[in-house]
Amino acid sequence: MARRRVAILISGRGSNMTALIEAAKAKDYPAEIVLVISNIAGAGGLAKASDAGIETATVESKPFGKDREAFERKLHDVLVAHNIELVCLAGFLRLLTPWFVRQWEGRMLNIHPALLPAYKGLHTHERALADGVKIHGATVHFVVPEMDSGPIVIQGAVAVRDNDTPDTLAVRVLGIEHRIYPDALRLVASGRTRLENGLCKTDGNGSPPDKLISPEVI
Ligand code: GAR
């Protein structure tokens, strides 16, 4: 089967982007990363993508000010010009308009550093620690107009430790992100996901461990 053509949208350092690029090097991976686009000139991830031999583009959002849709029309044109089939948001820090989301409905994924629907928005690790949750994690989901919502493709969890800070927790959650985003793209690109009544179902998965209990009581 032909590999699906994927663009990754970034605003920053692009560590999730790198995880996707690495995963896509595998011969049996069902997607190829053909383009990385940043809305911020000089974003750290751009150089990493170029070093990996991936074409990059910068479509700056700043000059468009509040006219989000004008920015997105330009972004959309670049994606279409490259025959992109799937879009992965990876630390792309722009709210998207319903117009753009509609163009890529069912074909655009996002990664969020929390177990959605808990902790939508910013500062997820700080807020999870403030609430004293014992399990935290990350989610890859299809993008819908409402922020940090949409059918969940995959989630990964970590145990929260009493002495965690937002930074220490972020490191472990990021490790999970780098694992689940390539898995999510594998599922979607290979056609193993289907959307049913606003939920994402998957075919042919292994069975995960039944339980993650935190703290472990000994
Ligand atoms: C990641 O932790 C990602 O989950 C988060 O930004 C970081 C980007 O890091 N995204 C969001 O908070 C979106 N709501 P990266 O540039 O190294 O992939």
Side-chain angles (χ1 to χ4, degrees):
M1 197 165 100
R3 307 213 293 162
R4 312 296 302 275
R5 293 174 62 80
V6 172
I8 304 176
L9 272 50
I10 63 167
S11 301
R13 64 189 167 175
S15 73
N16 277 291
M17 170 205 79
T18 299
L20 291 169
I21 290 173
E22 285 300 313
K25 286 180 181 168
K27 281 207 171 60
D28 70 339
Y29 201 76
E32 64 176 318
I33 312 303
V34 295
L35 180 65
V36 169
I37 306 180
S38 171
N39 68 315
I40 307 279
L46 288 171
K48 292 181 198 161
S50 300
D51 288 349
I54 313 270
E55 184 177 346
T56 65
T58 300
V59 181
E60 278 193 273
S61 44
K62 211 170 169 190
F64 292 96
K66 290 206 171 107
D67 194 350
R68 291 196 285 149
E69 203 171 301
F71 159 69
E72 291 170 354
R73 285 191 185 277
K74 196 165 165 188
L75 192 60
H76 183 69
D77 287 348
V78 175
L79 294 169
V80 170
H82 285 79
N83 298 313
I84 296 302
E85 299 174 274
L86 293 170
V87 174
C88 290
L89 308 181
F92 185 67
L93 302 179
R94 287 288 294 187
L95 273 182
L96 297 167
T97 67
W99 175 80
F100 187 82
V101 173
R102 258 198 315 276
Q103 306 306 310
W104 294 95
E105 200 173 343
R107 301 187 296 149
M108 181 157 57
L109 298 173
N110 180 46
I111 188 153
H112 181 74
L115 291 172
L116 292 173
Y119 306 115
K120 298 177 181 185
L122 298 174
H123 310 299
T124 55
H125 308 314
E126 285 89 334
R127 288 157 55 211
L129 288 175
D131 284 345
V133 302
K134 305 305 182 204
I135 294 173
H136 185 49
T139 303
V140 179
H141 63 95
F142 283 97
V143 177
V144 298
E146 194 190 332
M147 189 188 66
D148 298 331
S149 302
I152 293 171
V153 179
I154 193 168
Q155 293 184 304
V158 298
V160 179
R161 299 175 188 150
D162 281 350
N163 60 356
D164 263 324
T165 65
D167 287 346
T168 62
L169 188 53
V171 168
R172 293 206 306 292
V173 172
L174 198 61
I176 289 281
E177 293 184 42
H178 296 164
R179 165 87 190 274
I180 65 173
Y181 214 167
D183 281 353
L185 181 58
R186 179 186 283 280
L187 287 175
V188 172
S190 61
R192 284 162 60 187
T193 52
R194 64 204 134 75
L195 296 176
E196 275 179 23
N197 303 322
L199 304 179
C200 177
K201 308 283 172 122
T202 52
D203 296 319
N205 294 320
S207 28
D210 277 344
K211 306 182 184 90
L212 168 59
I213 296 173
S214 169
E216 192 182 26
V217 181
I218 47 176

